[in-house]
């Protein structure tokens, strides 16, 4: 409680000093700014990443309750979003369109000098955090629009035939709630490959487990990818690893465990390969 209160006070003070700094440091919007879309599956660490970016005095951060989002937490039309962020004086603009993750490729195509930051976290931890945060039925409720093929719902938008068939195979109203939450993790992270983000040079991955255990290294790598100076370890001061492995003891059905584990390994393969390639490039 005391630590949380201190963090809130410090963050409020930071916001004030940041606003003052930007008033004097940036007289007008830059001719070229970098736009970062933070996406992935809910409960994967995207809010933590926004807090980190918000500590950078060079950023303008748009969370899901800000003016670029509608009341349903979806991005407003791209042209409206562009009009808003074009007025920003900060050279680095960060948005968290989590419910528009399935439109990541379109966002990259529409917004100049934009990049995707895809955050992924172990499926058991995500399933555990999902149920803990949103309630025991949340995983099942997340799957229903996919089962019903309700493409007006963000959960079912751009879902592939293969992913829907997998969900249909295992879904039932009385299924294990944690199996359901893990299946939703599967559906959201499958998008990374289905949208061909694994081969897109404007996409960087962030593994939650690495972020919380080695934040300075991970965030400095992200800034290197963005092409701007890393502000230093002060922006990572609130990062901790207390939630790492919180779903370790979770028991999933064997088939869903296997399904999610295979995708987890595929994500890690791409992630590790990019780390190696970046290290080679740096040398």
């Amino acid at each position: 409680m005391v630590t949380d209160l201190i963090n809130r006070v410090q963050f409020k003070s930071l916001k004030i000093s940041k606003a003052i700094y930007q008033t004097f440091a940036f007289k007008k919007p830059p001719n070229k700014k970098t736009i970062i879309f933070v996406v992935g599956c809910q409960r994967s660490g995207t809010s933590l990443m926004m807090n980190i970016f918000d500590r950078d005095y060079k950023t303008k951060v748009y969370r899901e309750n800000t003016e670029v989002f509608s009341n349903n937490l979806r991005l407003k039309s791209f042209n409206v979003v562009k009009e808003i962020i074009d007025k920003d004086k900060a050279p680095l603009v960060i948005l968290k369109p989590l419910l528009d993750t399935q439109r990541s490729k379109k966002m990259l195509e529409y917004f100049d000098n934009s990049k995707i930051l895809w955050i992924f976290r172990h499926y058991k931890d995500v399933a555990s955090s999902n149920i803990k945060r949103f309630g025991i039925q949340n995983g099942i409720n997340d799957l229903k629009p996919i089962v019903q093929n309700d493409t007006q719902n963000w959960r079912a938008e751009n879902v592939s035939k293969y992913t829907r068939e997998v969900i249909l195979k295992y879904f039932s109203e009385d299924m294990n709630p944690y199996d359901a939450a893990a299946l939703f993790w599967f559906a959201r992270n499958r998008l990374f490959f289905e949208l061909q983000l694994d081969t897109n040079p404007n996409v960087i991955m962030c593994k939650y487990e690495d972020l919380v255990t080695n934040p300075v290294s991970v965030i400095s790598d992200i800034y290197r990818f963005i092409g701007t100076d890393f502000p230093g370890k002060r922006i990572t001061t609130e990062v901790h690893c207390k939630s790492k492995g919180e779903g370790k003891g979770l028991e999933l059905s064997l088939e869903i465990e296997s399904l999610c584990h295979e995708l987890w390994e595929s994500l890690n393969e791409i992630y590790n390969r990019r780390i190696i390639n970046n290290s080679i490039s740096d040398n």
Side-chain angles (χ1 to χ4, degrees), residues 15-16 35 46 64 87 127 133 149 225 256 282:
K15 296 285 282 186
I16 294 172
I35 303 168
T46 53
E64 291 161 303
K87 299 174 184 177
R133 175 67 175 83
N149 201 24
F225 169 79
I256 291 177
D282 292 341

Side-chain angles (χ1 to χ4, degrees), residues 2-12 55 237-238:
V2 175
T3 301
D4 289 342
L5 177 61
I6 292 173
N7 286 337
R8 286 197 294 271
V9 171
Q10 289 177 340
F11 198 71
K12 187 174 182 179
R55 292 179 180 274
T237 53
E238 76 167 273

